[in-house]
Amino acid sequence: MVNEPHDVMTMNEGELRRHVERALRELAGRELLIEMQRCARNHLFYQFVELWGPVLYRRDRELFGSFLASHLKRAVWQLDPAKVSDWIAAVEERGDVDIARPLIEAELTGWSYSDGVHDVLETRILQRFQDARSTERRRLVLQMHSGVWWDWSISDEGATKLYDIDGEAFLPWFVEELDGKTRWAQTPSYEGLRARMRSGDDPEFFEVYRRTVDVETWRGDVLQLCDEYGGEGLAEALRRRHPVHNAVPNPGSVFLELAEKAGEAARPYLREAVCNDTEIFDDTWESLAQQFARLGWWQEWAQVVRCNVKGDYFNWAVETVVARDDTLSEAEAMARLVSIAGAGRRSWIGDVVTHQITPKSATLLYQRFPTVASGPFRPHFQIQSRGDVEPEELYSETAKLALQRGDEEFFDFLASRLFGTWLRWSWRSDVYCDPRGFYVGYFRQLKTEEELARRGARVLSMVNFELIDWKGQLDRNGLAQFLFENPTRYLANPQALTELLDSTDVMVRELGFRALAQDDRRARKLAEDHLHHLMAAPMEELSGRGHAAALKTLSGLAVERKNLAPIIVARLRDVARLYAPPFRRGRLLKAIAEIIAAQPELRKPSEEPTVYEYSSNRGNRLAAERRSTW
């Protein structure tokens, strides 16, 4: 049975159905699997799952299992459960989890929320869980029903029944289900289940408690523990009851009451807890920070300021510590500032939240503690869409202080913060980054080209490239335009050129390739030193301009340095054959042709030019035949 792949792709539903029926009759084993994989490329293949699904499962579960598990997920909405009810029963009986899940999901697709699909799913689980005769079988039942309906959570009553039947099989699955819920998932409080577990002294009680407790119940338990424990053992009792995975939306208010009531006894627990909760900012965290300051708990205070308070309070804390000349020594103030510097908590999507320092706070900090501002506080110098820095400010006062101190490196760092500022102000077409021209004006007045190359490369190497759309930067950012407008200047400083080519950002590396492609004696000398960068360039995701510049440099280098030509030609041939997309292959072939034209001995037999000769005798004979017919 032979069919080309394109024949299967163009079949209509009737033709494809007959083709599948014929394949199921005539083929077996791996040949049948290959044919089914070809048929699955046609989307109509999923219209008749009941034809091929049960047959493949009965033929060879081991051979066709992975094929069925992957393709049944795409056929959930096309499958008619009534036609494959026997197959679903057989899969469940055998305990094939990966195949059972999409079949059970297909069985539920006929139900809606108004029909009570959650109740149907819960009843199905309870019935099969109760009918199972062993703990291992009950675990399989729960696994087969896990994730079949995205927003389903078992009710408190259903969870209690499953726990009563077999808690050993139910609890690990239940805890895993709770861990998989998002922070906004609507889950029951499971008070009945917790009461049943507490009455039986279940050792897993706290694992369920920490994932299901609500804020008011937790608050009451925490305050009750303060009365029960005079001080010894309180921290450990609090740890056992600490909510995980954001089960409590606002723990800051509970932490505040706990600090006020328990004092020093709760300090070890609070030191661990305040930084482990990735919560939305809440005003109670500022009150908690003030309470820690009144108690003299400066380590805990720093954790709350760094991780949980809003940006306004963070900047107020910086200004307060800097201004307290009479009460804090130089060393104490520096230590307190360093303790609140750096990355804070992780948000619910996983990124690190870092406070943004305002220009006013930055200037005050740099005036008194320049080493702290230019060191630990660097991550806080941000100008981004969600920040509070106006485009007219841009830390220019802090930059002026850095120039007065001769701190060129920190000045260049502040200049690098300009990249990304346009994102917030893109709706104002008249506003550019650095609208007063402070930073651009400074770089323009640098006296030597070597110094400008060194400083410009350092600025580009310190940009946070994750925040940048380079097209917008080069359209509207005056400093970006200035640093990119003349690649030749970077030839004056070989170290600066190396920094560009070693950059992690493709646009900065492209600037380096453009510099090497210039018609300049220095570029030709530096190209050989950066051959390893150039050899990697054809496979990089450069723009057309950067790709052409790198290939131009490579071909020129191969023509001038005959000893390097074989290596370069071999590399370009490999890239053209294996990696290059069609729209780039033309440039690669052009570069190869230029090198071969200069050194014909590198030409392969297949690259020899073919000259077609025209036989004059045959042409004369044909012309005579035409005339005779006239």
Side-chain angles (χ1 to χ4, degrees):
M1 177 178 180
V2 179
N3 277 290
E4 295 298 327
H6 65 268
D7 291 337
V8 177
M9 290 294 295
T10 57
M11 288 180 182
N12 58 34
E13 184 176 351
E15 293 171 340
L16 184 62
R17 176 184 285 271
R18 289 190 293 272
H19 179 78
V20 171
E21 289 174 347
R22 182 183 172 193
L24 293 174
R25 287 195 308 269
E26 300 181 2
L27 299 178
R30 187 160 297 278
E31 291 182 355
L32 179 58
L33 175 62
I34 294 173
E35 190 63 30
M36 291 296 102
Q37 290 171 341
R38 286 174 52 194
C39 293
R41 297 171 59 190
N42 191 325
H43 70 280
L44 299 174
F45 179 71
Y46 303 102
Q47 298 291 336
F48 39 87
V49 184
E50 64 278 358
L51 172 64
W52 50 266
V55 175
L56 296 179
Y57 186 78
R58 288 195 302 269
R59 288 263 186 103
D60 192 337
R61 163 67 182 85
E62 299 300 327
L63 178 62
F64 298 104
S66 58
F67 173 82
L68 290 171
S70 60
H71 289 281
L72 283 175
K73 296 175 183 178
R74 300 179 58 182
V76 167
W77 294 95
Q78 286 81 22
L79 184 63
D80 185 358
K83 296 181 180 179
V84 292
S85 56
D86 294 339
W87 181 31
I88 296 176
V91 171
E92 289 192 69
E93 180 65 28
R94 189 165 179 174
D96 289 328
V97 175
D98 294 335
I99 299 177
R101 283 176 181 171
L103 292 176
I104 295 172
E105 185 178 354
E107 192 175 298
L108 297 172
T109 54
W111 297 81
S112 64
Y113 289 103
S114 59
D115 296 330
V117 64
H118 289 179
D119 296 336
V120 172
L121 178 56
E122 187 168 313
T123 303
R124 194 182 199 283
I125 294 175
L126 284 170
Q127 180 181 350
R128 283 157 175 75
F129 192 84
Q130 194 167 10
D131 293 343
R133 298 181 178 180
S134 65
T135 297
E136 187 61 32
R137 184 65 190 176
R138 294 187 185 104
R139 288 187 180 131
L140 278 177
V141 169
L142 294 174
Q143 290 174 11
M144 285 188 288
H145 292 81
S146 181
V148 298
W149 200 267
W150 68 276
D151 66 339
W152 173 78
S153 296
I154 192 168
S155 66
D156 186 16
E157 181 182 359
T160 305
K161 289 181 180 178
L162 293 177
Y163 175 75
D164 290 339
I165 295 172
D166 191 342
E168 183 182 354
F170 167 70
L171 285 178
W173 172 83
F174 182 62
V175 170
E176 185 178 351
E177 284 287 303
L178 292 175
D179 289 343
K181 298 296 181 184
T182 63
R183 61 181 297 154
W184 293 286
Q186 299 294 322
T187 57
S189 60
Y190 297 107
E191 294 180 1
L193 175 63
R194 292 203 305 270
R196 186 66 56 86
M197 294 180 70
R198 183 187 286 272
S199 64
D201 293 330
D202 195 308
E204 300 295 323
F205 167 76
F206 287 111
E207 292 298 318
V208 175
Y209 174 93
R210 297 170 64 203
R211 291 164 172 81
T212 60
V213 67
D214 60 274
V215 63
E216 293 305 324
T217 302
W218 181 51
R219 186 195 310 275
D221 291 346
V222 165
L223 298 180
Q224 183 179 354
L225 288 174
C226 294
D227 297 331
E228 292 178 1
Y229 292 85
E232 191 70 25
L234 175 62
E236 185 59 33
L238 291 171
R239 290 189 189 99
R240 288 200 302 270
R241 292 165 176 80
H242 180 72
V244 297
H245 302 295
N246 302 301
V248 174
N250 181 23
S253 59
V254 180
F255 292 154
L256 178 60
E257 294 185 35
L258 177 62
E260 293 174 347
K261 185 169 185 178
E264 193 69 31
R267 187 177 183 183
Y269 163 72
L270 290 172
R271 183 181 300 124
E272 301 171 6
V274 293
C275 252
N276 292 332
D277 290 279
T278 57
E279 302 303 323
I280 296 175
F281 291 141
D282 187 86
D283 292 338
T284 55
W285 291 105
E286 298 179 7
S287 302
L288 181 63
Q290 294 172 358
Q291 176 66 16
F292 286 165
R294 285 192 293 270
L295 293 172
W297 298 355
W298 295 112
Q299 181 180 350
E300 292 76 12
W301 170 83
Q303 289 178 338
V304 174
V305 172
R306 188 176 65 252
C307 300
N308 299 99
V309 300
K310 297 179 181 179
D312 294 340
Y313 187 89
F314 172 81
N315 284 281
W316 174 84
V318 171
E319 295 176 13
T320 302
V321 173
V322 170
R324 293 175 66 176
D325 296 326
D326 52 341
T327 57
L328 288 177
S329 65
E330 189 94 354
E332 289 175 335
M334 289 184 66
R336 199 164 296 177
L337 287 169
V338 171
S339 67
I340 64 174
R345 62 183 178 84
R346 287 192 176 274
S347 70
W348 65 276
I349 60 174
D351 61 339
V352 178
V353 177
T354 305
H355 292 298
Q356 177 177 324
I357 191 169
T358 61
K360 176 185 175 183
S361 302
T363 303
L364 294 174
L365 177 62
Y366 191 80
Q367 281 178 335
R368 185 175 177 191
F369 302 109
T371 56
V372 175
S374 60
F377 266 78
R378 280 201 179 192
H380 301 281
F381 286 86
Q382 308 168 20
I383 306 173
Q384 48 184 286
S385 57
R386 57 187 176 188
D388 300 324
V389 178
E390 296 295 328
E392 290 80 7
E393 296 175 343
L394 302 174
Y395 302 115
S396 56
E397 294 300 322
T398 310
K400 292 176 183 177
L401 292 175
L403 288 178
Q404 293 174 8
R405 288 179 52 86
D407 194 350
E408 293 181 352
E409 198 270 341
F410 187 59
F411 178 89
D412 293 344
F413 169 77
L414 294 177
S416 71
R417 301 300 89 188
L418 269 66
F419 290 80
T421 56
W422 74 276
L423 293 174
R424 184 180 180 190
W425 310 101
S426 58
W427 57 275
R428 292 173 57 182
S429 59
D430 59 321
V431 174
Y432 284 70
C433 295
D434 191 21
R436 296 179 183 175
F438 170 72
Y439 291 97
V440 177
Y442 172 80
F443 280 98
R444 286 189 185 277
Q445 58 85 34
L446 292 178
K447 296 181 180 180
T448 65
E449 196 174 51
E450 188 276 336
E451 183 180 9
L452 179 57
R454 177 176 59 83
R455 301 284 297 278
R458 185 160 61 188
V459 169
L460 292 174
S461 67
M462 290 189 290
V463 176
N464 185 355
F465 296 105
E466 293 180 0
L467 303 177
I468 288 180
D469 171 12
W470 277 107
K471 183 180 183 303
Q473 292 293 320
L474 297 176
D475 286 345
R476 306 181 59 186
N477 188 329
L479 183 58
Q481 293 170 359
F482 176 70
L483 294 179
F484 275 80
E485 67 184 1
N486 183 14
T488 308
R489 67 165 64 104
Y490 297 100
L491 299 173
N493 190 320
Q495 182 60 36
L497 183 63
T498 302
E499 284 190 37
L500 296 181
L501 294 172
D502 286 338
S503 173
T504 58
D505 185 78
V506 65
M507 285 297 293
V508 178
R509 291 198 302 275
E510 184 176 307
L511 179 62
F513 292 133
R514 286 169 52 203
L516 290 175
Q518 301 301 309
D519 187 12
D520 190 290
R521 178 180 53 81
R522 298 171 297 176
R524 291 190 290 271
K525 182 178 182 301
L526 291 170
E528 187 172 356
D529 298 335
H530 294 284
L531 180 62
H532 59 290
H533 290 112
L534 291 166
M535 296 286 272
M539 293 190 298
E540 293 190 29
E541 294 296 329
L542 303 172
S543 68
R545 187 181 182 185
H547 197 254
L551 291 178
K552 176 184 175 182
T553 308
L554 275 175
S555 60
L557 186 61
V559 170
E560 290 189 4
R561 302 284 193 273
K562 293 189 176 183
N563 59 319
L564 298 177
I567 304 173
I568 296 175
V569 169
R571 178 68 166 182
L572 295 181
R573 283 172 178 157
D574 289 342
V575 174
R577 186 178 71 255
L578 301 175
Y579 302 103
F583 62 89
R584 287 188 175 177
R585 193 170 291 120
R587 296 195 195 99
L588 285 166
L589 297 178
K590 179 183 176 182
I592 294 172
E594 291 175 352
I595 300 173
I596 291 177
Q599 299 190 42
E601 64 274 12
L602 298 176
R603 183 179 289 124
K604 298 171 65 176
S606 60
E607 295 170 344
E608 291 286 345
T610 302
V611 179
Y612 296 93
E613 297 182 356
Y614 181 77
S615 176
S616 59
N617 294 332
R618 182 172 180 272
N620 293 336
R621 185 172 63 253
L622 292 175
E625 291 177 358
R626 292 194 196 99
R627 285 195 296 270
S628 64
T629 58
W630 294 345

